[in-house]
């Protein structure tokens, strides 16, 4: 799993962890680390709440949160490919007492505002 580190006094951003294979996705294990969760078991509750939000909205969660067995140094581990929307819902369902979660929520709020201004112009 990737650790977030500072590079040239600039902290890596959410976008730095994007992967692409025709569509953009983020690994849940990377997002978990970004948000200050120590293991996938505790982060799974966040993903479960995000999944419930997809279901409530009538959006297919299995297209946005894709279970994958990843081969890593610890052997095969359960991970998930997340769409940007799945990352957004996960961040919104994270523990806001964690400073990393609060920062990520602010990031998505700022990105939404930038998009709104872009659309208006």
């Amino acid at each position: 799993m990737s650790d977030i580190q500072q590079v040239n006094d600039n902290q890596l951003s959410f976008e730095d962890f994007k992967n692409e294979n025709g569509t953009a996705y983020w690994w849940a294990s990377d997002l978990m680390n970004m948000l200050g969760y120590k293991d996938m078991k505790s982060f799974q509750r966040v993903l479960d709440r995000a999944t419930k939000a997809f279901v409530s909205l009538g959006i297919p969660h299995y297209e946005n949160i894709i279970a994958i067995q990843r081969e890593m140094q610890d052997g095969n581990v359960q991970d998930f490919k997340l769409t940007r929307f799945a990352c957004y819902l996960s961040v919104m369902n994270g523990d806001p007492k964690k400073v990393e979660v609060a920062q990520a929520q602010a990031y998505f709020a700022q990105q939404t505002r930038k998009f709104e201004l872009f659309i208006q112009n």
Side-chain angles (χ1 to χ4, degrees):
M1 289 185 244
S2 300
D3 290 329
I4 299 178
Q5 301 172 359
Q6 288 196 346
V7 178
N8 298 331
D9 295 327
N10 293 325
Q11 195 167 12
L12 295 175
S13 76
F14 171 73
E15 297 299 329
D16 292 323
F17 288 88
K18 177 171 57 175
N19 298 277
E20 294 196 55
N21 65 352
T23 58
Y25 68 92
W26 287 258
W27 289 111
S29 56
D30 289 338
L31 185 62
M32 172 190 83
N33 286 330
M34 282 186 252
L35 297 178
Y37 288 87
K38 298 203 185 308
D39 56 43
M40 190 58 77
K41 184 178 179 181
S42 61
F43 191 61
Q44 184 65 51
R45 289 182 283 235
V46 173
L47 293 176
D48 290 345
R49 288 192 296 268
T51 299
K52 289 176 184 173
F54 277 115
V55 170
S56 293
L57 293 168
I59 298 172
H61 62 86
Y62 49 83
E63 294 176 6
N64 290 278
I65 301 174
I66 302 163
I68 300 285
Q69 287 291 317
R70 269 179 91 186
E71 190 169 321
M72 311 215 21
Q73 34 184 284
D74 300 337
N76 279 345
V77 295
Q78 177 69 56
D79 208 342
F80 301 88
K81 286 184 176 180
L82 306 176
T83 63
R84 181 180 300 273
F85 193 34
C87 289
Y88 171 81
L89 289 178
S90 297
V91 166
M92 293 304 138
N93 282 286
D95 181 357
K97 290 179 273 184
K98 291 181 175 291
V99 92
E100 300 92 341
V101 172
Q103 289 171 338
Q105 290 172 341
Y107 168 82
F108 277 107
Q110 291 168 346
Q111 294 303 308
T112 300
R113 183 63 183 143
K114 285 180 186 177
F115 184 71
E116 289 170 344
L117 293 172
F118 175 77
I119 294 297
Q120 289 175 356
N121 295 328

